[in-house]
Amino acid sequence: MNFASDNIVGASAPVLQSLVQANDGAMAAYGADEITKRVKARFAEIFERDLSVFLVTTGTAANALALASMVPPWGLCVCHEEAHVIDDECGAPEFFMHGAKLAGLPGAGAKLKAESVAAYVQGLPKAIKQMPPKALSISQVTECGMVYSLDEIAALGQVCRENGLSLHMDGARFANALVSLGCTPAEMTWKRGVDILSFGATKNGCLMGEAIVVFKPELAEALDYRAKRAGQVVSKGRLIAAQFEGYFANDHWYDNARHANRLAGLLSEGFAALPGVRMAWPTQANEVFPIIPAAMDKALRAAGVLYHPWTQVSLPEAERVGTDEALIRLVVSFATKEDDVLRVLEIARAATSRQAAE
Ligand SMILES: Cc1ncc(COP(=O)(O)O)c(C=O)c1O
């Protein structure tokens, strides 16, 4: 029972079938093939507009290259203090931005509020010694499993426009956020002011398929060169593109995300109903963050349930985790089985009853 992340499973069957089909015969290399062209046209259809797409192999590459296209070496990119770009990418964004810095701001649930971004950006001294803010990066879904509403994205987009910043969305869990909000890809991005998107697909069914989707044309100008210099122009590019054909066909990506979100909801409700358990953040997508008694943590681990302990940085002071509690993260994937979710809840329930009997 592995709930450590949504990348602990392989690829989904339609994605693999699409790859097998794309495997036969000779095709142009480095993304000049027909499949890549078709997939790029499909992105334009899905997002209902002209755009540029660059297919890459990891979310870190997508984020680092997207940020580098927005921020000059002397610039600042604002993000949440717990954002993947600042905490989990080994400095790749700063490396590709050639000296630019990330500035992490606090915010409950790893979410940034438009007012705090505006106050921060406007409070920076306008002096030659100060790196000027050039971009904002937000994660949709956030690192605490929360989903920015359309109004929240629009408010952040407005702050960016008023202050000369470009807006990046780290959509490692883009589909999970989309089905959670029940909106279209266009509504969650460029219609709310997003200029560039890291479109994640690996966690939701691909093998290694991520896309940088650019809505502000000037940000795309050098992205092909940036991608090549980062080793992200794959010679057998059709095999990256083919994953997306399988992913998009018959709304497979929506089905995968709905499955993961539904089971995460089930897991969340199950935990929330147990005595001694409280939720650190509401479950809005496919990640569940219960604060559980230490004894339950021990019982779950002893039964072989895998998950990560989580940080309480984005938890309000009054809700801090006690010494006899553990804040944990369980992630549900497109391939998670309902039986495994029920089994985890059974183990947790049994631990509660044992504790009550002691
Ligand atoms: C919020 C977020 N962004 C980006 C990524 C993508 O990272 P990777 O480089 O491992 O594909 C992840 C994966 O954990 C993530 O959770």
Side-chain angles (χ1 to χ4, degrees):
M1 285 164 288
N2 194 329
F3 291 83
S5 189
D6 33 11
N7 55 13
I8 49 91
V9 290
S12 70
V15 168
L16 289 176
Q17 280 152 15
S18 177
L19 268 169
V20 171
Q21 267 171 23
N23 194 52
D24 273 350
M27 277 186 209
Y30 298 109
D33 61 278
E34 289 309 311
I35 300 176
T36 303
K37 284 181 195 156
R38 278 203 305 267
V39 163
K40 289 186 174 180
R42 187 82 181 96
F43 267 101
E45 240 172 63
I46 287 170
F47 283 91
E48 305 172 60
R49 58 167 284 162
D50 281 346
L51 42 73
S52 303
V53 181
F54 302 85
L55 303 183
V56 295
T57 54
T58 69
T60 297
N63 285 342
L65 294 172
L67 266 49
S69 76
M70 300 189 294
V71 188
W74 56 90
L76 208 57
C77 177
V78 180
C79 61
H80 189 274
E81 63 183 348
E82 277 199 80
H84 201 269
V85 290
I86 200 169
D87 251 4
D88 299 299
E89 300 186 352
C90 196
E94 289 97 334
F95 179 73
F96 283 99
M97 291 191 294
H98 301 294
K101 278 193 193 168
L102 287 162
L105 306 187
K111 256 191 188 182
L112 289 174
K113 285 200 184 311
E115 311 85 81
S116 20
V117 175
Y120 175 76
V121 166
Q122 287 159 15
L124 290 170
K126 308 262 178 306
I128 191 71
K129 63 181 181 181
Q130 173 62 52
M131 298 175 99
K134 293 289 181 185
L136 169 67
S137 175
I138 57 169
S139 304
Q140 179 75 320
V141 178
T142 77
E143 287 70 13
C144 296
M146 294 192 66
V147 175
Y148 282 96
S149 72
L150 297 186
D151 286 348
E152 287 170 331
I153 301 169
L156 288 163
Q158 170 103 5
V159 169
C160 287
R161 268 194 310 283
E162 286 170 359
N163 294 278
L165 274 64
S166 297
L167 178 57
H168 167 251
M169 179 182 278
D170 174 356
R173 298 187 173 88
F174 188 83
N176 302 95
L178 207 58
V179 301
S180 171
L181 290 178
C183 63
T184 66
E187 284 163 352
M188 201 171 80
T189 54
W190 62 272
K191 287 192 176 176
R192 297 292 180 286
V194 174
D195 297 307
I196 189 163
L197 163 71
S198 298
F199 180 97
T202 304
K203 290 179 193 296
N204 192 41
C206 285
L207 272 91
M208 50 185 90
E210 311 277 315
I212 307 170
V213 182
V214 191
F215 306 114
K216 195 194 238 176
E218 58 268 36
L219 299 183
E221 274 163 19
L223 248 169
D224 46 359
Y225 295 110
R226 289 186 195 280
K228 179 63 182 164
R229 284 164 64 93
Q232 283 295 327
V233 177
V234 177
S235 68
K236 293 185 181 176
R238 66 170 146 159
L239 297 178
I240 302 295
Q243 299 175 67
F244 286 94
E245 285 211 304
Y247 188 67
F248 290 141
N250 306 313
D251 285 344
H252 174 58
W253 62 307
Y254 282 99
D255 291 343
N256 280 359
R258 274 193 204 103
H259 171 87
N261 286 13
R262 183 182 70 80
L263 289 191
L266 195 67
L267 192 58
S268 181
E269 279 165 27
F271 267 109
L274 296 175
V277 175
R278 58 199 170 101
M279 305 308 287
W281 301 286
T283 300
Q284 298 179 335
N286 64 323
E287 295 170 285
V288 183
F289 294 86
I291 300 172
I292 60 175
M296 186 186 289
D297 184 33
K298 211 169 150 202
L300 287 165
R301 290 182 189 283
V305 185
L306 299 177
Y307 51 82
H308 288 299
W310 212 247
T311 158
Q312 56 176 332
V313 170
S314 293
L315 207 58
E317 202 58 44
E319 294 169 31
R320 289 291 154 118
V321 180
T323 47
D324 53 350
E325 292 181 317
L327 164 53
I328 63 170
R329 182 190 78 162
L330 299 112
V331 189
V332 178
S333 83
F334 70 92
T336 302
K337 295 193 170 47
E338 187 157 343
D339 278 354
D340 279 353
V341 169
L342 298 175
R343 180 87 191 101
V344 167
L345 292 174
E346 232 172 72
I347 298 163
R349 219 171 282 125
T352 316
S353 327
R354 255 199 320 277
Q355 218 181 6
E358 277 165 13

